[in-house]
Amino acid sequence: MFSGRRALTLPGSSTMFLLLPFDSLIVNLLGISLTVLFTLLLVFIIVPAIFGVSFGIRKLYMKTLLKIFAWATLRMERGAKEKNHQLYKPYTNGIIAKDPTSLEEEIKEIRRSGSSKALDNTPEFELSDIFYFCRKGMETIMDDEVTKRFSAEELESWNLLSRTNYNFQYISLRLTVLWGLGVLIRYCFLLPLRIALAFTGISLLVVGTSVVGYLPNGRFKEFLSKHVHLMCYRICVRALTAIITYHDRKNRPRNGGICVANHTSPIDVIILASDGYYAMVGQVHGGLMGVIQRAMVKACPHVWFERSEVKDRHLVAKRLTEHVQDKSKLPILIFPEGTCINNTSVMMFKKGSFEIGATVYPVAIKYDPQFGDAFWNSSKYGMVTYLLRMMTSWAIVCSVWYLPPMTRETDEDAVQFANRVKSAIARQGGLVDLLWDGGLKREKVKDTFKEEQQKLYSKMIVGNHEDRSRS
């Protein structure tokens, strides 16, 4: 009746559509493509994630990228040299190079350069002392140790991402074609694949933990909960093409302890949780995050706080203490810095988690920025924009070191213990150990820092006065 055409009637509808043979072919090809894609995802990603195995595809992918980056960097440097233009932004850990000296030594030097009097023979205060504080203020503005920890540094080699080289210019046709091909691969192939994997991992996490939550408490529920969490986090790790190297797994956190790690990105949680089973600590959220939190807490004793409870330090400490005192409960995962730092440093650890008295399991995380910058600059990018940047990077490559457990010594207070743990993490991860509070990127400098400098100057003046009185 339709001369080679096929009639298609939708269920429950009297409307009839005509499909030409070509249209039918397209529909069949689309169905076959989706079936093949789902089969590949199941065989090469989801099933390996369930059993925690890898076929080595990601490492082969990483080695191929390194060779391409090396060739692109060589071509770019050669072209930049011929055209005589700057290739990379200059970056240094310190703009002002000087030997470390004390306040007293620097003021003594200023006084000597201004007069022939020695420090011992000067009055309690000299007007020239002001120049020391003026100079220190200018040096702090020029070479701010805090602010530069919240911006991504320029790479020494180009990874075919324009976001990592703002001075990129046309060098050659082959290099431009390679960059354009990389854009197509990242946005047209990797991004849809990664979004599909992320959706799969999050959906399985919500559904799986909700189902496990209805089971009676016991070993079987704990076993299922652990493997559901691990499977889903491993799928999410593959959604970022994350290539993670874990060191010293014998030191992994155990029940009744606290796992503390340096903080670079929100994905730090996924990186660690794909290799261990943790109780999370955080504030209750709404929206999609709230749905995930409510599902997770049904299967595992995570510690969620209401917004009104977060600021109550005593209540938070009490809830955490009750958790770690029960040796059957999972180790708590905490990031004591309280904010993300740019993968170069470790900043001040908040003392709260070190006052509890539990065994602390330090973990150092170090990302390789060659394949993608994992640092989240929350003051510049929202969460959606940040995740888009992560999913359009080549890969997320990092190393994780499990350090030996540490306990608070009898003569240590919580601050000293926190600093000792922080120093151990910084040494292992090759990070700069800073005493500054990471919260300074959003807050004003605390009065205690100003008072510390005032006390040092006062001590110097009072000390000189006492020495002259005795003599």
Side-chain angles (χ1 to χ4, degrees):
M1 178 179 177
F2 295 108
S3 303
R5 300 178 180 181
R6 296 172 56 195
L8 175 65
T9 303
L10 296 178
S13 172
S14 60
T15 305
M16 181 177 290
F17 296 91
L18 298 180
L19 290 180
L20 296 173
F22 181 71
D23 298 328
S24 178
L25 179 62
I26 292 178
V27 172
N28 289 334
L29 287 176
L30 183 60
I32 293 172
S33 300
L34 290 176
T35 303
V36 171
L37 177 61
F38 178 76
T39 304
L40 290 175
L41 290 178
L42 185 66
V43 173
F44 290 101
I45 295 178
I46 297 178
V47 173
I50 294 174
F51 295 100
V53 297
S54 175
F55 293 120
I57 298 175
R58 285 173 294 168
K59 290 189 176 180
L60 179 63
Y61 168 71
M62 181 180 70
K63 292 178 180 178
T64 305
L65 283 178
L66 285 173
K67 292 180 180 179
I68 295 174
F69 294 162
W71 178 86
T73 301
L74 186 63
R75 292 285 303 176
M76 198 170 176
E77 290 175 348
R78 187 186 305 166
K81 187 176 181 180
E82 292 173 357
K83 296 185 178 183
N84 195 25
H85 77 259
Q86 184 182 12
L87 188 59
Y88 303 109
K89 286 181 180 179
Y91 179 85
T92 176
N93 287 328
I95 298 173
I96 301 170
K98 56 184 297 185
D99 296 328
T101 54
S102 65
L103 177 146
E104 185 173 349
E105 290 173 345
E106 292 199 36
I107 288 184
K108 182 177 180 179
E109 185 64 30
I110 292 173
R111 290 183 178 183
R112 281 178 174 173
S113 61
S115 66
S116 60
K117 297 179 180 179
L119 182 64
D120 296 350
N121 300 323
T122 54
E124 294 184 355
F125 168 77
E126 279 197 3
L127 191 61
S128 61
D129 295 353
I130 297 174
F131 292 111
Y132 164 78
F133 296 102
C134 292
R135 187 175 69 185
K136 292 292 289 186
M138 292 298 294
E139 288 178 355
T140 302
I141 293 172
M142 292 292 295
D143 193 13
D144 184 0
E145 277 193 334
V146 177
T147 303
K148 65 185 179 184
R149 306 301 172 183
F150 302 104
S151 59
E153 63 180 293
E154 192 86 350
L155 297 178
E156 295 181 358
S157 60
W158 192 37
N159 58 3
L160 297 177
L161 297 176
S162 57
R163 70 188 72 157
T164 59
N165 189 354
Y166 300 101
N167 295 320
F168 173 71
Q169 299 179 20
Y170 175 81
I171 299 295
S172 69
L173 178 61
R174 282 192 293 177
L175 192 59
T176 303
V177 169
L178 182 61
W179 174 80
L181 182 61
V183 172
L184 289 175
I185 292 174
R186 290 186 292 110
Y187 283 88
C188 299
F189 176 71
L190 291 179
L191 179 60
L193 175 63
R194 289 168 174 173
I195 291 176
L197 285 174
F199 178 79
T200 302
I202 293 172
S203 300
L204 288 176
L205 180 65
V206 173
V207 174
T209 52
S210 297
V211 172
V212 172
Y214 288 106
L215 298 175
N217 293 332
R219 291 186 177 181
F220 182 65
K221 178 180 180 179
E222 184 179 345
F223 173 82
L224 281 183
S225 176
K226 176 181 179 179
H227 286 83
V228 165
H229 279 84
L230 288 174
M231 176 190 69
C232 296
Y233 284 127
R234 286 167 181 167
I235 293 174
C236 291
V237 159
R238 284 160 171 79
L240 297 169
T241 317
I243 304 165
I244 314 166
T245 304
Y246 297 100
H247 304 272
D248 299 324
R249 282 180 162 171
K250 61 182 181 295
N251 296 325
R252 281 188 293 187
R254 299 181 181 180
N255 289 1
I258 298 178
C259 174
V260 298
N262 57 301
H263 200 22
T264 302
S265 162
I267 66 174
D268 292 339
V269 176
I270 303 175
I271 298 295
L272 294 178
S274 64
D275 188 53
Y277 190 30
Y278 298 95
M280 308 294 177
V281 178
Q283 180 179 310
V284 174
H285 293 274
L288 176 61
M289 184 61 71
V291 173
I292 297 173
Q293 286 182 320
R294 288 191 294 272
M296 290 173 62
V297 79
K298 292 177 182 178
C300 178
H302 299 289
V303 184
W304 305 132
F305 295 97
E306 296 292 340
R307 186 180 296 273
S308 58
E309 297 176 332
V310 173
K311 295 183 179 179
D312 189 341
R313 290 183 64 253
H314 297 290
L315 177 62
V316 172
K318 180 182 177 182
R319 291 274 302 277
L320 295 180
T321 302
E322 291 173 353
H323 184 99
V324 298
Q325 285 178 347
D326 187 347
K327 300 305 179 182
S328 64
K329 289 188 176 180
L330 300 175
I332 297 176
L333 178 58
I334 295 179
F335 301 98
E337 288 169 299
T339 189
C340 295
I341 314 298
N342 72 348
N343 196 41
T344 63
S345 315
V346 183
M347 303 190 81
M348 187 182 79
F349 279 6
K350 304 293 191 298
K351 66 178 182 178
S353 53
F354 299 91
E355 293 176 322
I356 299 173
T359 301
V360 171
Y361 295 86
V363 177
I365 306 174
K366 178 69 174 178
Y367 290 90
D368 186 346
Q370 288 185 90
F371 304 90
D373 183 16
F375 167 59
W376 181 33
N377 188 349
S378 56
S379 59
K380 187 176 181 181
Y381 302 109
M383 178 59 76
V384 175
T385 304
Y386 169 76
L387 290 176
L388 179 63
R389 288 169 64 89
M390 289 296 94
M391 289 190 171
T392 54
S393 296
W394 292 110
I396 300 298
V397 180
C398 73
S399 295
V400 175
W401 291 271
Y402 296 108
L403 279 67
M406 301 174 69
T407 54
R408 183 172 164 183
E409 297 177 355
T410 54
D411 58 342
E412 273 186 325
D413 58 25
V415 174
Q416 292 171 332
F417 183 32
N419 288 335
R420 184 160 61 91
V421 173
K422 177 169 67 76
S423 298
I425 291 175
R427 282 195 305 271
Q428 183 62 71
L431 304 167
V432 180
D433 186 3
L434 297 175
L435 296 175
W436 295 102
D437 183 358
L440 288 173
K441 72 174 180 179
R442 295 188 183 90
E443 302 171 357
K444 293 182 178 180
V445 177
K446 295 181 180 179
D447 291 336
T448 52
F449 289 113
K450 302 176 185 177
E451 292 171 359
E452 184 178 351
Q453 294 298 315
Q454 293 170 351
K455 288 178 181 178
L456 288 174
Y457 183 67
S458 300
K459 184 178 180 180
M460 185 194 78
I461 296 296
V462 172
N464 292 335
H465 178 73
E466 291 177 351
D467 291 341
R468 287 195 300 273
S469 298
R470 284 195 294 267
S471 59

